[in-house]
Amino acid sequence: MSSSPASSSSPAPKSRSPWWLRALIGLMASLVGLCVSAVLIVGLVLIFSWPRLPDITELQDYQPQLPLRVYSADNVLLGEFGEERRVFTPIGQIPDLMKKAVLATEDDRFYEHGGIDWPGVARALVANMERSRSQGASTITMQVARNFYLSREKTFTRKLFEVLLALKIEQQMSKDQILQLYMNQIFLGRKAYGFAAASQAYFAKPLDQLSLAQMAMLAGLPKAPSAYNPVSNPQRARQRQLHVLARMQQLGWITAAQAQQARDEPLALRTNQSDRDIHAGYITEAARQMVFDRYQEAAYTRGLNVYTTIRARDQLAAWRAVQSGVLSYELRQPYRGPDAFIDLPAAVEAIPGAIEQACADRTPADGLQCSVVLSASPSLVKVMTEAGQILNISGAGLRQVRALGLSDKAQPATKLRAGAVVWLAGDGPGQWVITQMPQVQSAFISMNPNNGAIVTMVGGLDFARNKFNHATQAWRQPGSSFKPFIYSAALEKGITPLTVVNDAPLFFSAAQTGGESWEPKNYDGKYEGPMSLRRAVAQSKNMVAIRVLQDIGPKFAQAWSTRFGFDASRQPPYLTLALGAGTVTPLQMARAYSVFANGGYLIKPHLISRITDAQGQVLFQDRPQQSGNEQLRVISPRNAYVMDSLLQEVTRSGTAARAQATLKRPDLYGKTGTTNDFLDAWFCGFQPNLVGIAWVGYDTPKKLGNKETGGALALPIWIQYMQTALRDVPVASYEQPAGIVVENGEPVFSNFAEGSGVRSLGLNDPLPAPEVTPQERDSILNLFKSAN
């Protein structure tokens, strides 16, 4: 039987899948393969990279570098030292608005993500593809990782480690711990690290006292501290501040009213550094040196707090007194001419910039304002200040420049004209005077005579221009201000306030001096003949001081001076010692005069009262010496009492009579000092609880001027300071000690009274032509005759 054709045919072919289905399957397989590969790659990266990540234990035990801070006795910050200025602040003490301001601009999803803000990364990728400028996606955690462990180079490896570190940090630390690190570590310009330090640097306020406007300004700094610095780039900083406020409002963290109020608020920026606010540069430097000697380089990183004995109010008063005294002296000097000349631009709008640059090229000076002359005539000078303010100066404001700067005969180097760079000084409220940068220097130091605490210290007119501390380092001749130590020695040899000494000329031949002949003079060239020691001290008579020293012996006086803390090698044992021919520092004089003020005790001066670490633990506590400790006594109570009586006469009727007349109180004591050829001017004075020393002179000694005495130059500085320092201080007096009797109204050592008579010195010397009436001289001679 034959088969049919149907049974012999092949089976029908299988139908193929649509092309799109095959493509989809292939795509899915590829994606799966990519995902598997990615997982494998990530796994390999984690296997090899995770163990290489740094240990973050130091983040968990964060010990930031903290600067050395110097404070006054009343807790005013005087200055800081260290590369990083930081005030560590726990997260709980950072104001909530400050945290929100930072999060609004840096990482608003900080408390939601796990270290990497993936939506933020996606937004950044899209933004970067749409425009040429890149947009970052770093979270605060990633910034912490970068700031502590990584460089800022833009490489794939560095970015990978940043991501991995951020994940590790998030695993091992809480969100608040991470934010605390960030807000204390981030650099914000002006050497400030962290927002608490920046608050002080930009606004001179603690963080919790900032307004919303100020917080928003600080919150804009992390992106670029230099570019958004509100002091140097106010416009860009303002734009950044507005962005922060807008973001905070957009996120619902502040209301529209709060945002508007912050936008309208003036910032009240701080433009000066703290040590210039009360002019404590010499103090902070002295404190820094002392602390460095103890702690070496660690002093700048341990967060040490140094508390000084300085009183902030008094320190500012001392600087103002020095500034006023020096500028008053400078206004009496011939005008030396402008600092420089510049070519003013033809375009009016370019002039302020040219003036700003001209002033920027000069070292600023405390109390003086740099300006440039726009036009000048004999009666009116128009200037523009560094800040762009135009001032018209006339009348008394031209008194120093009128003769040598504005007259037709003025030399080209001194003549004022458009483009002259000049200095302005305040001459009263709203008044200015054209002057010049002072060349003379000055120092002032005050201390508590009973415990040695230094209350104020001004080492010069301007620390920024001259860092040499004249209060502690300048060895100068004290002139007549040294005489009290000669007279103190003389009291032990029987000299009393009643002793009559001849104020007549003296001459010592070369044979007597062993060198050149010497003919000393009184500073005014006048001689009054016989006079009591009291009057001689009050009038600072040189001839009397020499005769007294001649009587007691220079070597005895030299040895006696060491009781007051002076180095004998610096005080020559010759008759010139009577005129202050040795050398001293203002600090030494403060210590020495304190012996008279405290009743006879030599007290060691001290500047630092205590040092604490960053946690407030006391590392050093000074134990100052105290008057009343008999082991510190160097002169007897009666010696101090008689000297106080003599020094009080100086401020009542003598060369410093202006002191009591101005301050309207009797408890003032002191001595003026003017050296030979008017090279140095001193006033050394005290009230029973405060000693003050004022000095004026040139660094390279030269004549101050024929009438520039201690009473004319240094005394006004002392008086101006005491007007503040003694405000509300009750009048004090000294009780008469044992061993004193009153004879003819004078305090006298009891063993030199009663029959010992009134001593006289030099009455056999030729009398000079009388400078007083015959009746006055006869009364002095009769006193001497009757006493004998």
Side-chain angles (χ1 to χ4, degrees), residues 757-780:
V758 177
R759 291 185 59 186
S760 64
L761 299 175
L763 290 190
N764 293 326
D765 295 342
L767 290 177
E771 297 291 346
V772 294
T773 65
Q775 292 82 3
E776 289 175 322
R777 180 172 290 111
D778 289 341
S779 65
I780 295 173

Side-chain angles (χ1 to χ4, degrees), residues 467-487:
K467 293 178 172 52
F468 183 77
N469 191 336
H470 299 81
T472 61
Q473 298 174 293
W475 291 93
R476 308 293 294 219
Q477 288 192 345
S480 296
S481 64
F482 196 80
K483 290 176 182 175
F485 310 109
I486 305 298
Y487 292 133

Side-chain angles (χ1 to χ4, degrees), residues 481-742:
S481 64
F482 196 80
K483 290 176 182 175
F485 310 109
I486 305 298
Y487 292 133
S488 172
L491 294 180
E492 301 297 320
K493 293 287 190 177
I495 303 292
T496 77
L498 290 169
T499 299
V500 175
V501 188
N502 193 4
D503 177 33
L506 286 165
F507 176 80
F508 300 90
S509 67
Q512 290 175 295
T513 63
E516 297 180 0
S517 60
W518 181 44
E519 188 176 7
K521 293 178 170 46
N522 286 331
Y523 84 95
D524 58 1
K526 298 178 181 180
Y527 305 92
E528 298 184 28
M531 61 173 57
S532 70
L533 185 74
R534 173 174 292 278
R535 176 168 170 77
V537 173
Q539 298 301 319
S540 195
K541 293 296 184 176
N542 290 341
M543 301 303 103
V544 171
I546 294 171
R547 284 189 166 91
V548 168
L549 181 58
Q550 195 174 26
D551 181 74
I552 66 174
K555 289 187 177 180
F556 175 75
Q558 178 198 48
W560 188 262
S561 73
T562 62
R563 293 171 176 257
F564 297 87
F566 296 115
D567 183 351
S569 65
R570 288 184 175 272
Q571 311 307 326
Y574 308 110
L575 291 180
T576 53
L577 185 63
L579 308 185
T583 56
V584 299
T585 68
L587 177 60
Q588 278 192 327
M589 294 297 272
R591 187 187 189 197
Y593 270 77
S594 290
V595 176
F596 296 135
N598 64 31
Y601 303 93
L602 183 63
I603 305 296
K604 182 180 179 181
H606 67 283
L607 178 64
I608 296 176
S609 59
R610 73 182 189 279
I611 302 173
T612 69
D613 62 17
Q615 288 72 43
Q617 180 179 352
V618 177
L619 304 177
F620 166 79
Q621 180 72 57
D622 190 40
R623 291 176 173 79
Q625 297 174 338
Q626 297 285 341
S627 62
N629 181 351
E630 290 303 312
Q631 293 181 338
L632 302 175
R633 180 174 290 286
V634 291
I635 63 174
S636 66
R638 66 179 188 172
N639 188 300
Y641 182 80
V642 174
M643 286 306 306
D644 291 341
S645 174
L646 293 174
L647 294 175
Q648 187 178 35
E649 190 66 36
V650 176
T651 67
R652 188 188 72 83
S653 66
T655 56
R658 195 190 319 179
Q660 288 196 33
T662 303
L663 296 173
K664 308 296 183 185
R665 53 190 302 155
D667 58 340
L668 304 176
Y669 312 77
K671 184 70 186 72
T672 53
T674 309
T675 61
N676 192 36
D677 292 330
F678 299 90
L679 300 181
D680 299 88
W682 294 80
F683 183 73
C684 305
F686 59 91
Q687 188 266 354
N689 295 304
L690 185 64
V691 173
I693 308 296
W695 166 84
V696 180
Y698 287 96
D699 278 335
T700 301
K702 69 176 184 178
K703 192 170 185 176
L704 291 164
N706 286 333
K707 296 183 179 180
E708 304 295 356
T709 63
L713 265 179
L715 178 61
I717 295 173
W718 189 90
I719 291 174
Q720 184 174 334
Y721 165 74
M722 288 295 178
Q723 285 176 322
T724 297
L726 296 182
R727 188 182 303 148
D728 301 324
V729 174
V731 172
S733 61
Y734 295 107
E735 293 185 6
Q736 181 176 309
I740 291 286
V741 296
V742 177

Side-chain angles (χ1 to χ4, degrees), residues 48 127 129 194 219 242 300 341 399 424 428 432 466 537 566 581 603 608 616 635 712 753 771:
F48 288 102
M129 287 186 291
L242 296 178
Y300 306 131
F341 293 94
R399 61 183 180 272
L424 303 182
W432 295 95
N466 188 336
V537 173
F566 296 115
I603 305 296
I608 296 176
I635 63 174
E771 297 291 346

Side-chain angles (χ1 to χ4, degrees), residues 45-197:
V45 169
L46 291 175
I47 290 172
F48 288 102
S49 300
W50 194 268
R52 295 171 58 192
L53 294 176
D55 184 6
I56 66 168
T57 303
E58 69 171 279
L59 294 186
Q60 296 167 319
D61 185 26
Y62 178 53
Q63 298 292 331
Q65 289 191 1
L66 300 175
L68 167 69
R69 292 189 175 89
V70 182
Y71 294 90
S72 68
D74 40 354
N75 291 321
V76 175
L77 179 64
L78 303 181
E80 295 179 285
F81 297 93
E83 288 300 315
E84 300 180 2
R85 296 184 177 179
R86 184 183 283 107
V87 181
F88 179 75
T89 310
I91 192 66
Q93 297 178 18
I94 299 175
D96 189 56
L97 274 178
M98 185 73 253
K99 289 184 281 190
K100 287 180 176 178
V102 172
L103 293 176
T105 186
E106 293 296 320
D107 190 356
D108 60 89
R109 296 186 66 252
F110 173 71
Y111 281 98
E112 300 171 22
H113 61 66
I116 312 299
D117 185 12
W118 298 113
V121 171
R123 287 195 303 270
L125 288 173
V126 172
N128 293 338
M129 287 186 291
E130 291 178 348
R131 56 187 178 183
S132 59
R133 292 187 63 184
S134 63
Q135 175 176 320
S138 292
T139 63
I140 281 179
T141 312
M142 293 168 69
Q143 292 184 56
V144 168
R146 181 170 63 240
N147 291 336
F148 277 92
Y149 296 109
L150 304 173
S151 68
R152 301 190 70 87
E153 61 178 348
K154 295 184 178 182
T155 64
F156 175 78
T157 302
R158 201 274 302 166
K159 195 67 177 178
L160 175 62
F161 271 89
E162 182 180 311
V163 170
L164 295 178
L165 262 176
L167 294 173
K168 185 174 183 179
I169 291 171
E170 289 275 349
Q171 281 186 352
Q172 299 184 24
M173 299 180 69
S174 70
K175 287 289 189 180
D176 280 351
Q177 287 178 312
I178 296 169
L179 187 59
Q180 176 176 279
L181 283 173
Y182 178 81
M183 298 197 72
N184 281 284
Q185 181 69 17
I186 191 72
F187 176 64
L188 299 170
R190 298 194 115 186
K191 289 189 177 182
Y193 286 77
F195 286 89

Side-chain angles (χ1 to χ4, degrees), residues 282-596:
Y282 294 99
I283 297 163
T284 56
E285 175 58 18
R288 182 199 67 78
Q289 292 178 13
M290 295 176 193
V291 175
F292 181 82
D293 288 344
R294 179 181 288 262
Y295 298 102
Q296 298 299 304
E297 291 296 334
Y300 306 131
T301 60
R302 290 182 56 180
L304 300 179
N305 298 306
V306 181
Y307 295 90
T308 67
T309 55
I310 298 297
R311 291 202 295 256
R313 182 200 69 168
D314 288 17
Q315 175 64 24
L316 180 58
W319 176 81
R320 285 176 172 166
V322 167
Q323 182 206 35
S324 176
V326 167
L327 292 181
S328 294
Y329 169 79
E330 195 61 51
L331 286 171
R332 297 194 292 271
Q333 307 312 302
Y335 188 56
R336 297 184 294 273
D339 247 30
F341 293 94
I342 65 170
D343 294 325
L344 293 175
V348 175
E349 63 274 10
I351 291 178
I355 291 175
E356 182 178 358
Q357 183 59 52
C359 290
D361 292 340
R362 336 215 82 67
T363 303
D366 287 346
L368 295 178
Q369 187 167 170
C370 177
S371 303
V372 174
V373 174
L374 299 179
S375 63
S377 71
S379 59
L380 177 67
V381 175
K382 181 180 291 188
V383 302
M384 178 179 286
T385 68
E386 184 178 6
Q389 182 182 10
I390 295 178
L391 301 172
N392 292 317
I393 302 175
S394 60
L398 303 177
R399 61 183 180 272
Q400 185 172 25
V401 300
R402 187 172 285 114
L404 298 179
L406 294 174
S407 72
D408 294 335
K409 297 180 180 180
Q411 297 298 312
T414 62
K415 191 173 182 63
L416 294 185
R417 59 182 183 272
V421 180
V422 298
W423 295 97
L424 303 182
D427 198 30
Q431 300 177 20
W432 295 95
V433 59
I434 298 178
T435 185
Q436 55 199 351
M437 184 63 65
Q439 294 181 343
V440 75
Q441 276 295 339
S442 180
F444 186 88
I445 190 166
S446 65
M447 64 180 279
N448 183 327
N450 298 305
N451 62 15
I454 296 174
V455 178
T456 67
M457 183 166 66
V458 180
L461 185 62
D462 191 331
F463 181 73
R465 297 182 66 91
N466 188 336
K467 293 178 172 52
F468 183 77
N469 191 336
H470 299 81
T472 61
Q473 298 174 293
W475 291 93
R476 308 293 294 219
Q477 288 192 345
S480 296
S481 64
F482 196 80
K483 290 176 182 175
F485 310 109
I486 305 298
Y487 292 133
S488 172
L491 294 180
E492 301 297 320
K493 293 287 190 177
I495 303 292
T496 77
L498 290 169
T499 299
V500 175
V501 188
N502 193 4
D503 177 33
L506 286 165
F507 176 80
F508 300 90
S509 67
Q512 290 175 295
T513 63
E516 297 180 0
S517 60
W518 181 44
E519 188 176 7
K521 293 178 170 46
N522 286 331
Y523 84 95
D524 58 1
K526 298 178 181 180
Y527 305 92
E528 298 184 28
M531 61 173 57
S532 70
L533 185 74
R534 173 174 292 278
R535 176 168 170 77
V537 173
Q539 298 301 319
S540 195
K541 293 296 184 176
N542 290 341
M543 301 303 103
V544 171
I546 294 171
R547 284 189 166 91
V548 168
L549 181 58
Q550 195 174 26
D551 181 74
I552 66 174
K555 289 187 177 180
F556 175 75
Q558 178 198 48
W560 188 262
S561 73
T562 62
R563 293 171 176 257
F564 297 87
F566 296 115
D567 183 351
S569 65
R570 288 184 175 272
Q571 311 307 326
Y574 308 110
L575 291 180
T576 53
L577 185 63
L579 308 185
T583 56
V584 299
T585 68
L587 177 60
Q588 278 192 327
M589 294 297 272
R591 187 187 189 197
Y593 270 77
S594 290
V595 176
F596 296 135

